Amino acid sequence: MNRLSLSIFLLCIFAFPMGNLMSQTQRNHGWVVSGNSSKLLIQGKEILNARDDFRFKAPEGMNQIQEIDYYLMLGEYYLRKKDKVGIANILYDLRTKKGEYAFADSLLTSLWKQSQSEEVQAIKILDTYIQKEPNTYFRNLAKNMRTNLFQTGEDEKKSMVRMDCQKNKPYYSLCRVFRLQYYIDLPSGKEKEMHKHFVNIMRVSSPFFEDPNLEWIPLLDRIDEDLPAKLSFLGFAREGIHLQKMMMDLEKITDGFISENSNERMAFFQILSGDYAGAEESLLNFLKLAKGKKTSILNRVYVKLGALAYLQKDYKKSLDYYLKLDLTNWSADIHHPYLNEPMSISGVKDLISVSLYKVNGADAALKALQKIKDPEKLTEADIWPKLRISQMLMDQNPELSSRMTDEIIYMAQEKKWRRLEYAATVLQGYNQIYRKEFRKSTIELTKSRGILDEENAFYAAEFLRNFGFVFAHTASGKKGPVNGNIRDGVSDYLQNNLYEDLYYIRNYRPLAFSTDLFFEYALSHLRDDNDVWGLLDSVYKYNAVKWTRSLKGSPHSLFQIQFVDKQFQYLSGFSTTRESKFFDSTYADSRETESQIQRKSEEESVRNLESAKHPTVILLPYKEEFYLFTFNPRESRRNQLTWKVIRSQRPDTSEAIDSVRELVSSNKDTETVQIYLNESGASLMRSLKKEMKETGFTFFFSLQPGSDPQKPLNTFSWKCPQNMRSLGGKGMNLVDTAYFEGSRILKEKERLHLWDFSANASPLNSVTNLSWSCKSDLGSFEEIPFLKLFRRIDYRTVPRMVVYTERVVGKSFADYSWHYQWLHFWFRSGTKKIGYLPTLPVLDAASVSGLADPSRYQDEGVWIHATPQ
């Protein structure tokens, strides 16, 4: 099928405008690309630029460390250019110097020999240096470099020597890379200490984002061109992108362009980090260079671009990209972006049909699918489009859809095509609901559970299966035992909802049975059944999904591991052939293990409320109303949790306030009522404090398991800001920046950290871009960026309690979303309680100790526990 006939297949032709490419963040050390020009900077000072073709000149006005950086950076340029004269000039200059230049000499000499295919001589040069060098630091640098350059084998791990790196020593950036390599190779995939390994990797990778001396790593592409991939497969996609960008900038400077290979690899890393727009730009950059390339290569990229536009819900643009495919030159090497397996021409047409459906509706998609001609011998790939027809026919003709699906199921069973059988069986379960064959529907859905083997388990869609049971029983009008299906379906949906749009493609999800409809049916059933715990669980998780989907951007630091792990599960087909060796590596195993550890530690259960000792209120919005749940620990177990629906768009209605009054009156000797902290709970709290001044109100943040040791806390703060310095000796422990931000570990575990410093104005309106700075009493400028906290705070450095003021986030508590993200960071990091005060009063030794007293926050402040008390 040629491009014209593909247009007929799609039935429509669109065009889309190319977006502007993202601007690059300027670095002040190393190679800098700016438009069509480029330059070499050493600590902010321009040394060479493209106008003089980067001709060698002896360094002037630099110290020894800067000179060595200069030689290595210019050396990597000459090596890529194969510039013999340039390398000779550097080596001559190095050999006339006194000091710590010998390693640079041996390294560049060895690399030049290697580039000339003199491998034996290249190894000998480094071996001779290692034998003669008496200094352990330089000897270990050479050993690690030798390992990187000349160690080969199946195992991607390298036997690195662990190094301690100091800024006042030369080759600091190389040392830091070797240290990172050492730590990323420690996890073996399954061990119990996995989280500790990941915390350490986060710590050793953090300086690359923070230290001006590490803005450029000379010879990074020679050291380990796969380092970005290893980090990404571990789950550190942001870190992988950061290092990949350095390599690509060097390509641009030396070659005048960034290779297709590098652009496509960068796109995969960006997809793993959730930056679909950035990935699209990288692939468009690929196409700019790919003129004259084989059609099969262009097809591969256009498939990825179409799939990316679909992920961004720009279905029209998705079709635009698919229209550029040339199916007369199709290659078996093209992989399905969502399944990571070879894709046939039938497979790509099946993929395109969903975008066509999204733009032009089912009729257009069906006409296109019906044009696909069957080969003489049908394969599994040829049957999938027929299942797509069945999926899209269901609304119009469920009888015909059902007959088609039955035929597909029989064929799949005969041929042992498990995935096809599974998808068709789930689809048939839904089809039977349309046909009012409710018992047959539950039989199909029950059968589907045992179809997939371990090899195909990733393809399961448990929330679709469980949703189907609920739809079937509800539509039948009979009260069925579906409470467990609701619970399991909602839990699975909570984990996988970000990929809901993909279920139409990879699992042939019926088009008419929406998630919104499921929640309506589920909540109706739970209300009728008076399953109050199931009702709370469902509405609570419904709200958790809404909050997750409202977030802009993807997680940072260790919080990204679970996210990246999910991206691998659903989007690994966007990878390039260079990454194939890592899918079965210990890097991938370690990521999966760490993701499971994190998920288990953060699992929430509404049943954790049963251990609460205080009366509890949970107010959850659902569409145009609220569900109000109250937990009374004094009642019998059966009657402790009650609920009501409040049909209002205001969370602080009199009906809600009266329910809380009733809860308080049944607990007369209880001084405290706790409220679940969400936006509606915060609004209700403000009204309750005015209406019920005699009652103490606190918040709790989540329904995770957890306990607070309730030990006395010593108060700590940052000693740099002026307002804190005056509190020294008044019950306040003042510590240096490194201890307060988490870079260094305080021995005292039972700590309260006081934050009362003005946030710097953020150029980007985002909480993660906040920072706090001050001038110390020595006159030095110090800063704590929020992103640095993300990378530094872990289980070894997190305080038990945080107290903060409005100045810290720059907005009042009424501006809920900013405060919530601040609180979310601390509680997810392991803090047990947080106190908020609009302003901090004049403090003395007595009032400092009072910061850990909940009553201190009764009037204007807010007291928040991590979990129900």
Side-chain angles (χ1 to χ4, degrees):
M1 183 180 280
N2 60 26
R3 291 185 181 180
L4 179 61
S5 60
L6 178 59
S7 302
I8 295 170
F9 169 74
L10 292 173
L11 303 176
C12 52
I13 297 179
F14 303 117
F16 83 97
M18 295 283 185
N20 292 328
L21 297 181
M22 294 175 65
S23 59
Q24 177 188 311
T25 303
Q26 184 85 0
R27 64 172 66 91
N28 290 304
H29 184 62
W31 294 103
V32 175
V33 181
S34 182
N36 293 322
S37 66
S38 50
K39 53 193 173 184
L40 176 61
L41 301 177
I42 298 294
Q43 302 300 333
K45 182 182 177 182
E46 183 176 321
I47 308 300
L48 298 173
N49 59 55
R51 292 189 301 277
D52 59 17
D53 293 325
F54 299 111
R55 285 190 298 274
F56 176 81
K57 66 178 182 182
E60 296 177 357
M62 299 184 205
N63 61 35
Q64 176 179 267
I65 291 175
Q66 292 171 335
E67 285 189 358
I68 288 172
D69 279 350
Y70 166 72
Y71 288 127
L72 294 179
M73 291 173 189
L74 192 54
E76 68 183 344
Y77 175 83
Y78 290 151
L79 282 166
R80 283 188 68 91
K81 286 288 200 180
K82 299 190 183 300
D83 185 337
K84 185 175 182 179
V85 173
I87 286 289
N89 283 332
I90 292 176
L91 294 177
Y92 176 81
D93 226 36
L94 282 169
R95 291 165 189 173
T96 63
K97 300 275 185 180
K98 292 182 179 179
E100 312 296 354
Y101 297 89
F103 175 57
D105 178 1
S106 295
L107 174 56
L108 291 175
T109 304
S110 176
L111 285 167
W112 179 256
K113 293 292 184 184
Q114 186 186 44
S115 73
Q116 300 302 302
S117 300
E118 298 178 30
E119 188 93 352
V120 174
Q121 190 64 22
I123 295 172
K124 185 178 179 182
I125 289 166
L126 278 183
D127 284 344
T128 301
Y129 175 85
I130 291 167
Q131 290 165 10
K132 292 183 177 179
E133 176 56 58
N135 183 289
T136 303
Y137 173 74
F138 295 114
R139 192 166 61 250
N140 286 341
L141 281 172
K143 284 180 179 179
N144 285 332
M145 186 58 83
R146 188 193 188 287
T147 298
N148 275 303
L149 297 178
F150 303 113
Q151 178 181 311
T152 57
E154 290 287 322
D155 189 358
E156 284 305 311
K157 292 193 170 188
K158 297 179 182 293
S159 304
M160 304 299 290
V161 179
R162 183 183 178 276
M163 300 196 67
D164 292 318
C165 309
Q166 298 173 26
K167 292 180 187 179
N168 61 357
K169 288 185 176 182
Y171 311 100
Y172 171 66
S173 56
L174 298 185
C175 179
R176 275 289 181 185
V177 172
F178 298 153
R179 184 174 171 84
L180 174 61
Q181 288 180 300
Y182 172 83
Y183 276 99
I184 69 170
D185 282 351
L186 282 181
S188 64
K190 301 293 181 187
E191 69 261 42
K192 294 178 181 177
E193 293 293 305
M194 187 62 70
H195 187 59
K196 182 179 178 182
H197 286 311
F198 272 72
V199 167
N200 287 332
I201 293 169
M202 187 75 257
R203 282 186 170 271
V204 296
S205 62
S206 294
F208 294 102
F209 292 89
E210 301 161 0
D211 190 337
N213 297 299
L214 299 177
E215 287 186 355
W216 187 266
I217 312 299
L219 302 165
L220 181 59
D221 62 330
R222 308 278 173 157
I223 292 170
D224 190 352
E225 66 173 3
D226 282 331
L227 185 56
K230 294 172 183 177
L231 284 164
S232 297
F233 272 77
L234 276 166
F236 294 97
R238 287 180 180 271
E239 288 67 23
I241 288 169
H242 186 73
L243 297 181
Q244 178 72 8
K245 185 71 170 64
M246 285 187 200
M247 296 186 195
M248 290 167 68
D249 282 350
L250 184 62
E251 278 188 67
K252 174 79 183 215
I253 289 166
T254 55
D255 305 339
F257 60 89
I258 299 167
S259 69
E260 298 101 311
N261 194 303
S262 293
N263 274 310
E264 192 174 11
R265 182 173 237 199
M266 172 63 97
F268 179 50
F269 299 156
Q270 289 168 315
I271 287 164
L272 292 178
S273 74
D275 181 8
Y276 301 142
E280 187 177 352
E281 286 186 3
S282 293
L283 291 175
L284 290 174
N285 287 338
F286 179 110
L287 290 176
K288 284 182 180 179
L289 296 165
K291 292 173 183 174
K293 290 284 184 182
K294 286 197 304 185
T295 303
S296 59
I297 294 174
L298 300 180
N299 280 342
R300 183 181 76 227
V301 176
Y302 281 124
V303 165
K304 290 184 178 183
L305 283 166
L308 267 176
Y310 181 89
L311 285 174
Q312 297 174 81
K313 299 186 184 297
D314 193 336
Y315 308 117
K316 181 177 178 297
K317 188 193 280 190
S318 177
L319 275 177
D320 293 336
Y321 285 130
Y322 289 143
L323 267 173
K324 298 178 187 296
L325 293 169
D326 182 355
L327 301 186
T328 60
N329 287 291
W330 195 252
S331 167
D333 293 336
I334 298 174
H335 275 217
H336 196 299
Y338 308 130
L339 298 173
N340 198 15
E341 62 190 21
M343 186 162 58
S344 66
I345 291 178
S346 294
V348 76
K349 290 177 182 176
D350 180 53
L351 182 67
I352 293 167
S353 69
V354 181
S355 291
L356 182 58
Y357 156 75
K358 291 282 190 177
V359 176
N360 281 10
D363 285 344
L366 280 167
K367 286 177 184 176
L369 286 163
Q370 287 161 355
K371 290 178 184 292
I372 301 174
K373 293 182 179 179
D374 290 339
E376 288 185 18
K377 186 177 180 181
L378 288 172
T379 66
E380 184 178 8
D382 299 314
I383 308 301
W384 286 108
K386 299 184 185 304
L387 188 62
R388 184 74 66 201
I389 292 173
S390 180
Q391 174 198 27
M392 293 181 178
L393 265 179
M394 190 186 292
D395 280 349
Q396 303 170 15
N397 192 335
E399 291 294 334
L400 177 57
S401 172
S402 179
R403 288 198 299 274
M404 287 182 63
T405 308
D406 260 344
E407 288 178 15
I408 292 170
I409 290 171
Y410 295 143
M411 184 182 294
Q413 287 173 340
E414 181 185 349
K415 303 285 189 181
K416 293 186 169 47
W417 294 335
R418 292 180 181 273
R419 279 216 325 257
L420 181 62
E421 182 190 352
Y422 174 81
T425 305
V426 172
L427 184 66
Q428 189 71 307
Y430 279 89
N431 220 326
Q432 301 292 15
I433 298 171
Y434 253 117
R435 300 177 64 243
K436 301 191 184 329
E437 298 281 358
F438 303 117
R439 186 170 175 277
K440 287 184 178 179
S441 171
T442 57
I443 290 172
E444 297 287 357
L445 293 167
T446 302
K447 271 195 322 188
S448 69
R449 187 166 196 175
I451 294 173
L452 292 176
D453 53 13
E454 189 175 342
E455 182 183 350
N456 294 295
F458 78 96
Y459 190 75
E462 280 299 288
F463 85 77
L464 290 186
R465 202 179 69 82
N466 282 297
F467 282 15
F469 280 112
V470 176
F471 284 125
H473 280 289
T474 305
S476 72
K478 297 178 182 178
K479 188 176 177 182
V482 293
N483 302 53
N485 295 112
I486 294 173
R487 181 188 63 246
D488 294 344
V490 169
S491 293
D492 193 59
Y493 180 66
L494 178 66
Q495 289 294 321
N496 301 293
N497 68 86
L498 289 177
Y499 310 95
E500 186 171 13
D501 227 15
L502 296 187
Y503 280 85
Y504 292 108
I505 293 177
R506 53 175 260 168
N507 292 95
Y508 297 74
R509 181 181 185 176
L511 306 173
F513 293 87
S514 69
T515 300
D516 273 351
L517 187 62
F518 161 77
F519 273 100
E520 283 185 27
Y521 283 9
L523 297 184
S524 174
H525 170 84
L526 295 168
R527 289 194 304 264
D528 292 345
D529 201 40
N530 199 31
D531 182 353
V532 64
W533 287 103
L535 194 61
L536 173 58
D537 180 65
S538 297
V539 186
Y540 187 84
K541 286 174 179 165
Y542 172 87
N543 274 271
V545 169
K546 283 193 71 176
W547 182 76
T548 302
R549 288 187 157 186
S550 72
L551 293 176
K552 292 178 181 177
S554 57
H556 292 269
S557 66
L558 287 178
F559 297 162
Q560 72 185 303
I561 306 300
Q562 288 184 72
F563 176 80
V564 173
D565 190 48
K566 282 289 180 188
Q567 297 288 90
F568 266 107
Q569 289 178 40
Y570 286 91
L571 305 175
S572 59
F574 285 94
S575 62
T576 77
T577 53
R578 290 175 71 192
E579 285 86 56
S580 58
K581 60 188 173 186
F582 293 113
F583 277 98
D584 294 323
S585 67
T586 54
Y587 301 112
D589 290 343
S590 297
R591 180 196 71 245
E592 291 168 5
T593 301
E594 171 64 8
S595 178
Q596 290 168 9
I597 290 169
Q598 289 189 21
R599 188 164 63 250
K600 285 179 182 177
S601 71
E602 294 177 356
E603 279 179 354
E604 295 184 84
S605 169
V606 295
R607 288 289 179 176
N608 290 330
L609 200 57
E610 289 182 303
S611 60
K613 297 180 176 58
H614 297 295
T616 305
V617 176
I618 301 177
L619 187 64
L620 299 170
Y622 177 73
K623 296 189 175 178
E624 303 299 315
E625 57 196 22
F626 291 93
Y627 277 80
L628 177 69
F629 296 89
T630 57
F631 179 82
N632 188 341
R634 285 180 168 271
E635 288 285 354
S636 64
R637 209 161 186 68
R638 186 176 179 181
N639 299 315
Q640 284 179 321
L641 186 66
T642 61
W643 66 276
K644 68 168 57 175
V645 175
I646 297 175
R647 288 174 170 75
S648 169
Q649 293 184 40
R650 284 183 56 87
D652 56 347
T653 60
S654 57
E655 189 177 358
I657 292 171
D658 288 345
S659 294
V660 179
R661 286 188 198 278
E662 187 179 327
L663 181 65
V664 170
S665 65
S666 62
N667 289 268
K668 292 183 179 177
D669 57 347
T670 298
E671 297 178 353
T672 302
V673 172
Q674 58 188 348
I675 299 175
Y676 171 61
L677 179 59
N678 57 2
E679 194 165 6
S680 48
S683 180
L684 177 61
M685 169 84 86
R686 285 194 290 273
S687 296
L688 288 171
K689 281 193 169 186
K690 295 174 185 174
E691 298 277 338
M692 303 171 64
K693 294 183 179 178
E694 301 303 314
T695 305
F697 292 100
T698 64
F699 283 121
F700 69 95
F701 193 79
S702 78
L703 288 169
Q704 291 179 12
S707 59
D708 183 354
Q710 302 287 351
K711 294 179 180 177
L713 299 174
N714 291 321
T715 306
F716 287 74
S717 194
W718 187 17
K719 80 174 184 182
C720 178
Q722 183 65 46
N723 64 325
M724 288 298 141
R725 284 179 234 161
S726 61
L727 295 173
K730 297 180 180 178
M732 184 78 70
N733 299 280
L734 299 178
V735 296
D736 291 332
T737 305
Y739 289 101
F740 199 68
E741 70 187 7
S743 296
R744 302 189 67 181
I745 299 171
L746 286 160
K747 292 181 181 178
E748 172 67 65
K749 300 296 183 190
E750 309 303 328
R751 304 188 315 275
L752 180 158
H753 282 199
L754 176 61
W755 284 73
D756 182 38
F757 339 114
S758 294
N760 297 327
S762 173
L764 299 172
N765 194 26
S766 167
V767 176
T768 52
N769 290 308
L770 287 174
S771 64
W772 304 270
S773 59
C774 68
K775 205 175 247 188
S776 70
D777 53 1
L778 298 174
S780 61
F781 177 83
E782 299 188 35
E783 183 182 27
I784 301 176
F786 199 5
L787 286 177
K788 194 171 184 182
L789 282 181
F790 269 94
R791 293 190 284 265
R792 297 298 180 173
I793 296 294
D794 58 57
Y795 69 94
R796 296 178 296 199
T797 57
V798 68
R800 289 270 190 263
M801 181 174 180
V802 170
V803 172
Y804 75 105
T805 64
E806 183 178 311
R807 298 201 306 155
V808 173
V809 295
K811 296 178 184 288
S812 73
F813 203 80
D815 197 330
Y816 170 79
S817 64
W818 281 55
H819 286 265
Y820 187 87
Q821 290 180 62
W822 165 259
L823 297 166
H824 186 265
F825 161 71
W826 285 109
F827 283 127
R828 196 173 179 191
S829 297
T831 294
K832 299 300 182 184
K833 52 198 170 209
I834 295 178
Y836 164 77
L837 292 167
T839 58
L840 201 62
V842 177
L843 294 178
D844 55 26
S847 55
V848 165
S849 63
L851 291 171
D853 182 358
S855 64
R856 175 68 191 79
Y857 303 83
Q858 179 57 33
D859 297 326
E860 295 185 345
V862 175
W863 178 277
I864 313 151
H865 283 282
T867 54
Q869 301 299 298

